[in-house]
Amino acid sequence: MKKKQFKTESKKLLDMMVNSIYTHKEIFLRELISNASDAMDKLYYRSISGENVGMDRSEYAVILTPNKDARTLTIADNGIGMTEEELETNLGTIAKSGSFDFKRDNEAKENVDIIGQFGVGFYSAFMVADRIVVESRPYGGDAAFRWESDGADGYVVTSCEKATHGTEITLYLKADTEDEKYSEFLDEYRIRHLVKKYSDYIRYPIKMMVEHQHPVKDKEGEYETVREWDTLNSMVPLWRKNPSEVTEEEYNGFYRDTFYDFEAPLRVIHAKTEGTVSFDTLMFLPKNPPYDYYTKNFEKGLALYSGGVMIMEKCADLLPDHFGFVRGMVDSADLSLNISRELLQHDRQLKVIARAIEKKIKNELEKMLASDREKYEEMFRAFGLQLKYGVYADYGMHKDVLKDLLLFVSSAEKKYVSLKEYTDRMSEEQKNIYYACGETVDKIDMLPRVEAVKAKGYEVLYLTDDVDEFALKVLGAYAEKEFLNVCDNKMELGTEEDRAAIQAENEASADLLTAMKEAIGDGVHAVRFTNELKNHPVCLSTEGELSTEMEKVLNSMPGAAGQAKAQTVLEINVNDPIAAKVKALHSADPAKLADYAKVLYAQARLIGGLSVENPAEISALICRYLAE
Ligand code: ADP
């Protein structure tokens, strides 16, 4: 029989396993038991989705068999099993299992620590064994196959005999050394301890044949040895336990096993709710979005259980879209077990639970914002976009749930602020909540209008995501303060006299301004003088509902190119020498004025983060005047 080679990725991981430090090695048992539990789940789901599997739920079990003479530990399950091909693909390579992605992402970090915390599946068995034999028979098939490997140099698959479906994994433990005693994994108490520590919540019994000393009946003082099955785990699902009895390690291990994430969750929400509908829930805020999170392939939802028995793997109705990143489960004895999916959608109890869940998540996030700012910001960096879409979605239906969860970077310290923090520190005379949009915080910070507003001592929110301004438009106001784009013409910074003065100036210069507008063409809605800019000679503002940022976003949507048009206004700083220059050119050299108008408009667009429509023409003009 020809030995087959592991894929290179698997080899690397094998090396890592073999060389990991000793204290992490014990997690191999958790990994193999979790795989067994998954395999039983898969078969069990088939039976609840209507197939006659011929097995009662109570018949599923993991059997552990230590054999001290042979130095082997066997982990057997009666789950779905594997075909010959599955043995090859599942155990011959880990390239496509989550383990490898994690390995690649963490190459630079402390490998061994991650093994200890999260484990890496089947391959972890090579931490304690130098030879592994897997015998498996798939459910519904009659052929069984044996996969065996003694580590890095490959594996062999042959056919074998196996009476029932399921998988049996035999580990040939490594020889003991001075400081690494692998034989302890054959010790009954060590095994019991490991199952309790890592796998107590597994919902199928984990059994081991043990010897007990029983007093002999009617013979005082005499004992006999009785061999009997013992179940090592309590099987109480983690979410049904009392939160005070669950350790962080248990939560993290459970989260990892259930959701195949390699990072510990940012926060755990574990609650028991009594009321019209009573339910237990265990939810997790992941640290990172799943790789497909912002695609349409992503399916949100919580697992739904009735009295510890799963009814549905992902119940989308339990989670609003804006909290779609939350993972976890809900268990309610009040739900009927044989409820169908269609009925579930209209189930009144389910709606009550969903509302309570939304509230719970919201409260938890608010608590986090108040008491664990750093973690909250980490959450917001990962999922804030989702929250902002949530404000905008469904015509703002959820804005009240979400408005206090939003963060924006502001001009004050270039750090995240909430809307409450912003409005709480607004000065009396500030009428609006100011914001500005752009590609990056640094670019926004340099906008002429932003500079002017900051000079007045006002704080400005810096919006860098496409959805931001749309979300603020839907919100309209916060704490009765309306949002105002600093580039909006409604924005007034000066005193009443200032405004009267600039209005008079603009009226007196009407001809000049019209001439400039005509030179620029359709691109611009108007040209005006302003006395609100600090250092900058020109800037762009808008009139009407649409900002230039919104124009950009709307036009980037498929099929919409060029349809949205913001009404842009070229503003010229009346106190800048360029103002006197254009006034002089108006009568002296109208052709040159036209060139100046085009260049000034192009500059205003560039500063505003917009592209110039006629770059070649503008470049030629600038060079001509530089050469003068
Ligand atoms: P992961 O569990 O992260 O996918 P593993 O390396 O632990 O990675 O396992 C790889 C695959 O092998 C599993 O996804 C599963 O399809 C299969 N497998 C492992 N153990 C069993 C088992 N006891 N019964 C059936 N299939 C199994």
Side-chain angles (χ1 to χ4, degrees):
M1 192 77 212
K2 197 174 162 309
K3 242 186 202 169
K4 299 195 183 174
Q5 291 301 306
F6 288 105
K7 297 260 165 73
T8 36
E9 298 83 10
S10 315
K11 259 199 179 127
K12 269 196 264 167
L13 189 61
L14 274 172
D15 272 353
M16 184 172 125
M17 285 295 139
V18 172
N19 299 320
S20 76
I21 60 173
Y22 187 63
T23 48
H24 294 133
K25 299 193 180 205
E26 63 185 33
I27 59 100
F28 82 93
L29 189 60
R30 173 186 79 188
E31 300 298 312
L32 298 185
I33 289 174
S34 294
N35 281 350
S37 167
D38 286 350
M40 294 187 292
D41 269 346
K42 281 180 196 156
L43 192 53
Y44 175 64
Y45 293 154
R46 285 219 203 165
S47 66
I48 58 168
S49 44
E51 198 170 325
N52 183 4
V53 167
M55 241 169 84
D56 191 71
R57 195 172 191 289
S58 61
E59 293 172 61
Y60 292 94
V62 185
I63 309 285
L64 303 181
T65 315
N67 180 335
K68 287 192 172 143
D69 299 329
R71 274 184 77 81
T72 58
L73 176 63
T74 302
I75 297 100
D77 67 69
N78 51 359
I80 195 133
M82 283 178 273
T83 61
E84 178 181 15
E85 201 189 339
E86 282 167 341
L87 277 170
E88 289 256 0
T89 48
N90 292 341
L91 307 185
T93 172
I94 45 130
K96 59 177 165 40
S97 90
S99 330
F100 181 63
D101 289 339
F102 131 79
K103 165 80 162 73
R104 198 167 35 204
D105 294 346
N106 290 284
E107 204 108 47
K109 298 184 202 157
E110 271 280 279
N111 286 334
V112 283
D113 249 297
I114 296 156
I115 296 173
Q117 245 180 314
F118 304 113
V120 276
F122 172 77
Y123 281 67
S124 61
F126 281 107
M127 294 194 290
V128 298
D130 45 22
R131 183 168 130 78
I132 299 178
V133 176
V134 180
E135 293 188 341
S136 196
R137 189 175 130 186
Y139 169 76
D142 42 20
F145 288 88
R146 174 190 293 126
W147 178 101
E148 47 185 313
S149 166
D150 43 19
D153 40 303
Y155 61 91
V156 174
V157 179
T158 49
S159 71
C160 70
E161 292 296 315
K162 191 173 184 310
T164 53
H165 62 85
T167 303
E168 193 175 297
I169 300 178
T170 303
L171 309 180
Y172 289 80
L173 297 179
K174 294 182 183 175
D176 288 355
T177 65
E178 191 103 332
D179 22 54
E180 307 196 5
K181 303 278 180 255
Y182 297 95
S183 49
E184 72 181 46
F185 298 121
L186 300 170
D187 178 70
E188 181 191 322
Y189 292 96
R190 181 83 172 119
I191 294 172
R192 271 180 194 285
H193 171 76
L194 290 179
V195 170
K196 262 278 175 252
K197 180 170 174 190
Y198 293 114
S199 310
D200 197 48
Y201 56 80
I202 294 285
R203 287 171 297 110
Y204 302 97
I206 301 166
K207 292 184 181 171
M208 187 161 63
M209 180 65 84
V210 296
E211 290 181 353
H212 279 162
Q213 301 293 320
H214 276 284
V216 180
K217 220 179 169 193
D218 301 329
K219 291 194 180 164
E220 205 165 321
E222 275 190 46
Y223 288 87
E224 61 179 350
T225 304
V226 179
R227 284 171 59 79
E228 57 193 4
W229 287 109
D230 199 1
T231 298
L232 312 183
N233 55 329
S234 72
M235 286 188 283
V236 178
L238 203 59
W239 59 88
R240 302 187 93 195
K241 290 191 181 167
N242 203 324
S244 64
E245 287 165 9
V246 187
T247 64
E248 193 181 329
E249 192 178 35
E250 272 180 288
Y251 281 130
N252 291 352
F254 175 83
Y255 171 76
R256 187 204 79 88
D257 286 351
T258 314
F259 300 107
Y260 305 106
D261 195 346
F262 296 100
E263 299 253 34
L266 263 186
R267 196 162 177 109
V268 180
I269 308 174
H270 185 182
K272 297 181 164 293
T273 307
E274 311 275 337
T276 19
V277 183
S278 299
F279 64 92
D280 298 334
T281 179
L282 178 57
M283 295 183 284
F284 300 91
L285 300 184
K287 205 173 184 134
N288 298 306
Y291 70 97
D292 62 349
Y293 185 61
Y294 286 108
T295 75
K296 63 178 189 312
N297 294 335
F298 178 77
E299 275 181 73
K300 59 158 189 169
L302 298 176
L304 184 60
Y305 290 79
S306 168
V309 179
M310 169 170 305
I311 321 184
M312 201 189 274
E313 239 183 313
K314 247 182 198 176
C315 181
D317 295 334
L318 281 174
L319 269 188
D321 283 343
H322 44 269
F323 293 147
F325 51 89
V326 175
R327 318 183 86 166
M329 47 270 303
V330 168
D331 193 338
S332 173
D334 297 341
L335 289 170
S336 147
L337 233 185
N338 48 22
I339 200 161
S340 78
R341 271 154 208 248
E342 294 81 272
L343 274 178
L344 215 43
Q345 292 189 339
H346 305 288
D347 195 80
R348 206 184 51 81
Q349 288 158 319
L350 200 70
K351 292 212 170 85
V352 174
I353 298 179
R355 263 199 301 277
I357 293 272
E358 180 182 32
K359 210 156 155 199
K360 220 166 244 344
I361 298 172
K362 172 184 188 279
N363 289 346
E364 199 66 27
L365 288 172
E366 279 176 356
K367 235 193 279 169
M368 211 170 145
L369 176 59
S371 64
D372 197 348
R373 180 70 172 218
E374 215 173 291
K375 276 230 173 107
Y376 188 84
E377 291 190 3
E378 202 177 338
M379 183 291 299
F380 198 83
R381 270 189 289 276
F383 302 109
L385 200 55
Q386 180 73 72
L387 300 180
K388 292 186 287 193
Y389 273 113
V391 170
Y392 175 66
D394 301 331
Y395 308 100
M397 221 168 93
H398 318 285
K399 63 181 181 185
D400 288 331
V401 174
L402 297 171
K403 62 176 193 250
D404 282 310
L405 300 177
L406 301 181
L407 296 178
F408 297 98
V409 173
S410 92
S411 56
E413 290 179 89
K414 312 268 165 56
K415 282 204 284 211
Y416 273 139
V417 294
S418 68
L419 295 175
K420 178 155 187 359
E421 287 160 350
Y422 181 103
T423 47
D424 279 355
R425 62 188 186 214
M426 262 168 80
S427 62
E428 291 263 328
E429 88 262 17
Q430 188 180 336
K431 290 194 228 84
N432 295 98
I433 301 174
Y434 299 123
Y435 67 87
C437 308
E439 222 177 309
T440 63
V441 166
D442 288 339
K443 284 191 185 172
I444 300 173
D445 201 42
M446 289 184 292
L447 289 175
R449 284 266 195 159
V450 169
E451 230 178 63
V453 177
K454 279 198 301 185
K456 280 271 172 190
Y458 299 143
E459 187 172 3
V460 183
L461 301 176
Y462 290 176
L463 313 189
T464 49
D465 282 324
D466 283 356
V467 69
D468 288 350
E469 194 172 12
F470 294 89
L472 292 193
K473 291 266 176 201
V474 166
L475 276 181
Y478 182 91
E480 289 164 31
K481 305 284 181 193
E482 281 179 30
F483 294 101
L484 186 59
N485 190 328
V486 298
C487 293
D488 189 313
N489 256 310
K490 280 194 250 135
M491 173 93 205
E492 288 169 348
L493 282 175
T495 60
E496 212 134 307
E497 289 100 80
D498 292 337
R499 283 203 292 281
I502 200 69
Q503 197 178 340
E505 176 78 51
N506 279 323
E507 276 162 18
S509 311
D511 287 350
L512 161 68
L513 297 172
T514 310
M516 289 182 79
K517 173 186 154 34
E518 275 164 11
I520 299 166
D522 285 344
V524 76
H525 177 70
V527 181
R528 266 178 226 143
F529 286 119
T530 176
N531 55 5
E532 291 185 352
L533 289 180
K534 244 183 104 218
N535 303 316
H536 286 269
V538 291
C539 81
L540 215 57
S541 65
T542 56
E543 264 179 18
E545 274 308 297
L546 226 50
S547 72
T548 54
E549 201 57 32
M550 290 167 85
E551 171 189 313
K552 251 203 286 189
V553 174
L554 290 174
N555 286 339
S556 70
M557 307 213 170
Q563 282 185 21
K565 191 93 194 68
Q567 300 189 339
T568 54
V569 178
L570 168 61
E571 301 203 13
I572 302 169
N573 186 347
V574 74
N575 301 316
D576 191 273
I578 198 70
K581 181 78 183 182
V582 290
K583 282 180 195 166
L585 284 177
H586 184 42
S587 45
D589 192 345
K592 203 167 184 179
L593 175 69
D595 291 344
Y596 269 52
K598 287 180 192 170
V599 172
L600 292 177
Y601 180 61
Q603 284 175 330
R605 287 187 66 88
L606 284 177
I607 298 172
L610 302 174
S611 65
V612 173
E613 284 144 10
N614 49 347
E617 183 188 3
I618 298 300
S619 165
L621 284 175
I622 292 173
C623 288
R624 182 185 325 151
Y625 292 110
L626 286 176
E628 264 182 9

